[in-house]
């Protein structure tokens, strides 16, 4: 695994809303096959950073390097083309559609001008199986009948299907119980094992320590620490998050 | 068949018994589709048969089909916008305006009927596009936009036709739709074509699944479906082919409106189930934000839905003009609420994202039966409205309750 060359690297990105500087020159990297956790207190700027990567809310300044070259992320389309997929906290699934239909939404395959359902079904099953998903009863179940964890699973599997290079998960376990959290965290690990660069936002440091290889801490729009999970303690991370540590410019 | 290549099921597995069991489970889960409406048809037929000697007669049977077709088409039109969670209260008057344009061009401008009808449809398309634009692009609630059009177009109809203006329709092709019938063999041919198309599509679907190594449902299900179609279609056609005239000139055969309606419903259903647009319509109706993030052009999907709604509404207007043989300034004022009622009674969800064209057609039969049966019993119109209102309320309540339980399995 190449630790030196990140798949995606942000250099000095900035974002302001009117007079409010929300991102104040952020450096951030994510590596293939690794889980990078993005942590920070409420309002630190995590979601804003992610929205820039997703192209839904472009950065004002700074550089985005993707696989070594500078890229522009001006729209979700730009992000999609590079293979950056976001699993939003609200998941954005259509409850009235089934698992296969949701996984292929917006990317339907046609044959003879009609939907090629069998091929989509086959690929959806393969994507789910590659993540060792066994909890869904049928891939033709409607999403309305799925549990929160199963929905999260579908949303994550969708990114696999799209051959994502970078998958960003915004608080994937926030609404889940113990068993389902465990399942989703396993899924996150398997996703990274497939060579995807996974970025996970979480307020739950227990989860972060379980899956993340490195932890990036945002504090009031600044990246105050980028740490290897193995080399850091829980309390240190908390100290960075709360601002007790790192204010003297550790970065 | 082919080997099961995967460990995850798709709902196609198992024997006929398993499939039946799964179906019953879906019913219990609240996914009843138009089953309550079909049950309603049987109950209504029983009640009216006991109450009126005229209800189950050959003549009335044919009348019912013809009346239902007009409502079914309007209701099918509304399904496209109801699937989005929107409404088009102006669908009826849109049809009225389109027919006013048509008759005006034929009568006062002496146009040939074909371009005149084309102009009527064009008016429908334009109206649908404007409504769609206002709803999807500007963001005015569809209820308000179409209520405004509902009122405004009543005025437009009067302007086009003049106060109290009534124009006879004299175009034979249009009059034929509701008043002429297929020859006996034509009815049977229609059934054979329907069975053949259904069979070929089933075989095609199964072959495609098999080619990807996916399991198919038991073949007996295809046979059962075809047998069901053959029996119901066969009995109806046989009955319609008998002489139903009460005078000396015999009348028999399947009304021409039936194959036209079936063809339109078939094409619409095909588009909803098997094309990208159909998928996007359901997606936008289910979760517009999810659809947008998936890269679907939500505004376009919405505008097109309103255009399709307007076009099918105009078809319903043509049926209406054909049936009553004239166009006047009041056409389409009341039918729209019956159309909404038919869709909801048939199992289309007012919350969007759930429903099929067949539901609208079945619901239209229920509403038409109530209308027709109460008419035969010479009930005052007030009773008719009360009953229809009650049925709509009941259906909407079932819809709301079913929504809470949530559907389980898709049709694919
Ligand atoms: N569209 C906007 N307009 C103005 N201010 C905004 C906007 N979006 C975010 N902000 C501000 O930017 C700051 C960072 O917000 P952001 O949502 O990125 O935080 P977060 O780290 O995701 O927090 P949380 O953990 O609560 O989700 C907040 O102070 C917020 O009020
Ligand atoms: Mg946030």
């Amino acid at each position: 695994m190449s630790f030196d060359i990140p798949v995606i690297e942000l250099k000095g990105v900035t974002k302001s809303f009117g007079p409010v500087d929300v991102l104040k020159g952020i450096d951030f990297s994510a590596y293939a096959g690794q889980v990078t956790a993005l942590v920070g207190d409420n309002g630190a700027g995590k979601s804003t950073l992610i929205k820039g990567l997703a192209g839904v809310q472009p950065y004002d300044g700074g550089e985005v390097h993707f696989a070594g070259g500078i890229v522009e992320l001006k729209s979700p389309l730009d992000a999609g083309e590079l293979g950056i997929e976001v699993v939003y906290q609200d998941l954005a699934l259509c409850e009235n559609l089934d698992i296969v239909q949701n996984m292929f939404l917006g990317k339907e395959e046609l044959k003879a001008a009609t939907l090629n359902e069998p091929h989509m079904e086959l690929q959806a099953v393969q994507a789910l199986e590659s993540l060792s998903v066994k909890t869904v009863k049928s891939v033709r179940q409607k999403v309305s009948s799925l549990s929160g964890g199963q929905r999260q699973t579908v949303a994550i599997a969708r990114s696999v299907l799209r051959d994502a290079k970078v998958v960003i998960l915004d608080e994937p376990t926030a609404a889940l119980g113990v068993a389902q959290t465990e399942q989703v965290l396993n899924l996150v690990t398997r996703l990274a094992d497939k060579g995807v660069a996974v970025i996970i936002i979480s307020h739950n440091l227990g989860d972060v320590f379980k899956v993340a290889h490195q932890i990036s801490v945002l504090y009031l729009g600044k990246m105050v620490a980028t740490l290897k999970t193995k080399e850091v303690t829980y309390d240190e991370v908390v100290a960075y998050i709360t601002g007790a540590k790192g204010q003297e410019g550790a970065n | 068949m082919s080997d099961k290549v995967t460990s995850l099921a798709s709902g196609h597995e198992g024997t006929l018994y398993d499939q039946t069991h799964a179906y019953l489970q879906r019913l219990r889960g609240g996914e009843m589709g138009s089953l309550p409406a079909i049950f309603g048809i049987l109950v209504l037929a029983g009640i009216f048969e006991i109450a009126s000697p005229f209800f189950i007669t050959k003549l009335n049977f044919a009348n019912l089909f013809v009346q239902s077709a007009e409502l079914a088409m309007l209701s099918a039109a509304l399904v496209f916008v109801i699937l989005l969670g929107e409404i088009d209260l102006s669908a009826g008057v849109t049809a009225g305006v389109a027919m006013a344009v048509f008759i005006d061009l034929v009568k006062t401008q002496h146009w040939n009927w074909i371009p005149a009808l084309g102009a009527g449809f064009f008016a429908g398309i334009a109206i649908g596009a404007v409504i769609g634009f206002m709803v999807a692009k500007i963001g005015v609630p569809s209820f308000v936009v179409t209520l405004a059009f509902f009122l405004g177009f009543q005025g437009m109809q009067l302007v086009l036709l003049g106060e109290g203006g009534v124009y006879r329709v004299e175009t034979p092709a249009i009059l034929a739709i509701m008043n002429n019938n297929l020859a006996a063999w034509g009815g049977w041919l229609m059934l054979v074509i329907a069975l053949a198309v259904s069979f070929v599509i089933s075989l095609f679907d199964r072959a495609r699944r098999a080619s990807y190594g996916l399991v198919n449902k038991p073949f007996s299900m295809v046979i059962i479906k075809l047998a069901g179609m053959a029996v119901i279609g066969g009995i109806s056609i046989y009955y319609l082919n008998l002489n139903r005239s009460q005078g000396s000139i015999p009348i028999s055969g399947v009304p021409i409106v039936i194959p036209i309606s079936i063809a339109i419903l078939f094409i619409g259903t095909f588009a909803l189930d098997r094309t990208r647009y159909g998928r996007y319509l359901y997606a936008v109706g289910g979760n517009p934000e999810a659809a947008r993030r998936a890269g679907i052009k939500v505004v376009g999907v919405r505008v097109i839905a309103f255009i399709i709604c307007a076009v099918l509404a105009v078809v319903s207007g043509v049926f209406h003009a054909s049936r009553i043989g004239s166009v006047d300034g009041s056409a389409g004022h009341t039918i729209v609420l019956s159309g909404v009622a038919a869709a909801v009674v048939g199992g289309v969800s007012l919350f969007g994202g759930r429903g099929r064209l067949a539901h609208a057609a079945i619901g239209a039969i229920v509403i038409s039966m109530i209308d027709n049966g109460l008419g035969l019993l010479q009930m005052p119109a007030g009773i008719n409205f009360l009953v229809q209102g009650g049925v709509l309320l009941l259906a909407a309540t079932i819809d709301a309750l079913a929504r809470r339980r949530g559907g389980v399995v898709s049709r694919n």
Side-chain angles (χ1 to χ4, degrees):
Chain A
M1 255 178 268
S2 52
F3 284 82
D4 33 356
I5 306 170
V7 180
I8 194 138
E9 187 174 14
L10 304 181
K11 287 186 181 164
V13 296
T14 56
K15 180 78 188 173
S16 319
F17 296 103
V20 192
D21 297 330
V22 176
L23 302 179
K24 303 166 187 164
I26 302 244
D27 297 337
F28 174 77
S29 312
Y31 302 84
Q34 306 238 339
V35 179
T36 305
L38 185 58
V39 300
D41 219 342
N42 296 114
K46 305 182 294 293
S47 295
T48 308
L49 190 69
I50 289 321
K51 283 177 188 159
L53 278 176
V56 294
Q57 214 175 62
Y59 303 123
D60 295 338
E63 286 175 1
V64 182
H65 294 252
F66 186 88
I70 293 190
V71 293
E72 297 270 319
L73 293 172
K74 293 292 173 215
S75 78
L77 234 58
D78 294 342
E81 270 167 23
L82 293 175
I84 302 173
E85 294 284 338
V86 186
V87 178
Y88 293 93
Q89 199 165 352
D90 63 8
L91 297 184
L93 297 172
C94 292
E95 299 215 342
N96 58 330
L97 300 183
D98 67 30
I99 294 177
V100 180
Q101 292 169 341
N102 267 290
M103 285 175 66
F104 274 91
L105 193 61
K107 302 265 195 305
E108 288 80 3
E109 284 187 13
L110 297 181
K111 195 173 180 184
T114 55
L115 297 169
N116 190 351
E117 293 288 351
H119 194 218
M120 291 192 275
E121 183 176 313
L122 183 64
Q123 288 171 271
V125 167
Q126 285 166 349
L128 287 164
E129 283 181 340
S130 78
L131 294 169
S132 310
V133 173
K134 295 196 179 69
T135 54
V136 297
K137 212 167 67 203
S138 154
V139 291
R140 288 302 184 177
Q141 253 176 303
K142 286 191 178 168
V143 165
S144 59
S145 70
L146 299 180
S147 71
Q150 288 172 326
R151 289 174 197 215
Q152 189 68 243
T153 302
V154 172
I156 294 172
R158 173 158 66 176
S159 62
V160 171
L161 200 61
R162 295 182 181 182
D163 240 345
K165 304 279 182 297
V166 179
V167 173
I168 302 164
L169 303 157
D170 197 354
E171 304 214 29
T173 58
L176 303 182
V178 179
Q180 298 210 341
T181 297
E182 197 60 34
Q183 272 172 25
V184 169
L185 292 181
N186 283 335
L187 205 56
V188 169
T189 305
R190 281 197 291 270
L191 196 58
D193 289 345
K194 288 169 72 76
V196 176
V198 182
I199 301 169
I200 178 171
I201 298 181
S202 181
H203 284 290
N204 185 329
L205 287 185
D207 291 356
V208 167
F209 271 85
K210 243 180 252 169
V211 294
H213 297 89
Q214 57 261 328
I215 304 173
S216 296
V217 189
L218 268 180
Y219 181 77
L220 295 179
K222 283 198 188 124
M223 194 62 83
V224 288
T226 298
L227 312 153
K228 291 235 184 323
T229 312
K230 285 200 189 102
E231 299 165 1
V232 73
T233 66
Y234 195 98
D235 290 337
E236 276 177 278
V237 176
V238 172
Y240 280 114
I241 291 174
T242 55
K245 210 173 163 184
Q247 285 313 70
E248 61 290 332
N251 227 8
Chain B
M1 287 281 136
S2 53
D3 282 356
K4 206 176 143 189
V5 295
T6 68
S7 62
L8 290 167
S10 65
H12 289 251
E13 295 79 6
T15 60
L16 185 58
Y17 174 83
D18 300 329
Q19 287 288 338
T20 315
H21 185 74
Y23 174 70
L24 292 176
Q25 225 161 16
R26 257 174 278 154
L27 288 187
R28 249 178 282 140
E31 240 191 306
M32 289 184 289
S34 35
L35 216 58
I38 292 170
F39 180 71
I41 289 176
L42 297 177
V43 170
L44 286 171
I47 293 174
F48 287 134
E49 166 61 8
I50 293 166
S52 162
F54 300 111
F55 188 72
I56 300 193
T57 60
K58 284 170 270 184
L59 182 62
N60 197 45
F61 189 65
N63 277 346
L64 248 178
F65 268 105
V66 169
Q67 285 173 11
S68 305
E70 193 178 318
L71 185 59
M73 202 49 60
L74 188 83
S75 187
L78 291 167
V79 168
F80 282 87
V81 294
I82 296 177
L83 278 177
L84 291 173
E86 307 283 354
I87 194 73
D88 185 355
L89 295 175
S90 66
V93 289
T94 297
V97 168
M99 292 320 289
V101 167
F102 162 75
I103 207 78
D104 195 53
L105 290 173
V106 169
K107 293 282 177 181
T108 63
Q109 313 293 318
H110 306 292
W111 281 33
N112 174 282
W113 71 275
I114 295 176
L117 193 61
F121 273 100
F122 185 78
I125 291 171
I127 294 166
V130 171
I131 296 174
F133 179 82
M134 300 205 61
V135 173
K137 192 82 189 172
I138 302 181
V140 189
S142 59
F143 178 81
V144 177
V145 175
T146 61
L147 184 63
F149 276 79
F150 174 67
L151 297 173
F153 281 158
Q154 298 188 17
M156 174 105 82
Q157 280 176 295
L158 293 180
V159 170
L160 282 166
L161 298 173
E163 295 276 347
V166 181
Y167 293 87
R168 277 168 54 105
V169 175
E170 278 157 321
T171 311
I174 288 183
L175 290 172
I177 295 170
M178 296 298 245
N179 300 296
N180 291 12
N181 303 294
L182 296 177
W185 62 264
W188 294 115
L189 179 65
M190 176 184 94
L191 181 62
V192 170
I193 292 174
L195 291 172
V197 168
S198 171
F199 188 58
V200 168
I201 289 180
S202 295
L203 290 186
F204 179 81
D205 286 347
R206 296 175 70 87
R208 221 188 222 187
R209 281 188 70 84
S211 77
Y212 289 106
L214 299 172
V215 235
N216 269 307
K217 290 179 183 171
F219 192 71
S220 50
M221 289 181 72
V222 176
I223 301 299
I224 291 172
K225 182 178 155 206
L226 286 177
M229 278 174 68
V231 169
I232 294 173
I235 292 174
S236 304
I237 291 167
Y238 170 78
Y239 207 59
L240 287 169
N241 277 348
L242 299 175
N243 177 22
R244 55 180 174 266
S245 170
Q246 286 158 334
S248 52
I249 306 166
I251 305 173
S252 68
V254 176
I256 287 176
V257 68
I258 302 295
I260 295 177
S261 303
I262 290 175
I264 293 174
L265 293 178
F266 173 79
I267 293 168
T269 302
F270 193 92
L272 284 176
D273 284 353
R274 292 166 182 267
T275 68
R276 239 185 214 154
Y277 178 74
R279 179 64 40 84
Y280 292 172
L281 191 68
Y282 281 101
V284 173
N287 187 344
E289 180 57 20
R292 194 184 63 78
R293 290 196 206 148
I296 295 171
K297 297 192 173 62
V298 175
V299 171
V301 170
R302 287 206 171 110
V303 172
I304 291 172
F306 276 95
I307 292 175
I308 295 174
C309 173
V311 168
L312 291 183
V314 176
V315 173
S316 156
V318 174
F319 288 0
H320 178 75
S322 171
R323 184 165 65 85
I324 66 170
S326 64
V327 174
D328 64 64
S330 70
H333 290 190
T334 55
I335 193 174
V336 77
L337 290 181
S338 300
V340 175
V344 178
V345 166
V348 179
S349 173
L350 281 173
F351 299 99
R354 282 194 296 127
R356 311 178 55 72
L357 295 183
H359 294 167
I362 291 168
I365 294 175
V366 174
I367 302 292
S368 301
M369 277 175 92
I370 294 173
D371 209 20
N372 174 295
L374 293 178
L376 288 178
L377 294 175
Q378 295 178 323
M379 291 282 182
I383 298 289
N384 191 346
F385 283 129
L386 278 173
V387 173
Q388 280 197 32
V391 169
L392 174 57
L393 206 57
L394 182 70
T397 309
I398 292 175
D399 177 25
L401 292 176
R403 179 183 146 89
R404 272 205 260 159
R405 287 215 239 166
V408 182
V409 172
S410 86
R411 289 172 46 86
N412 282 295

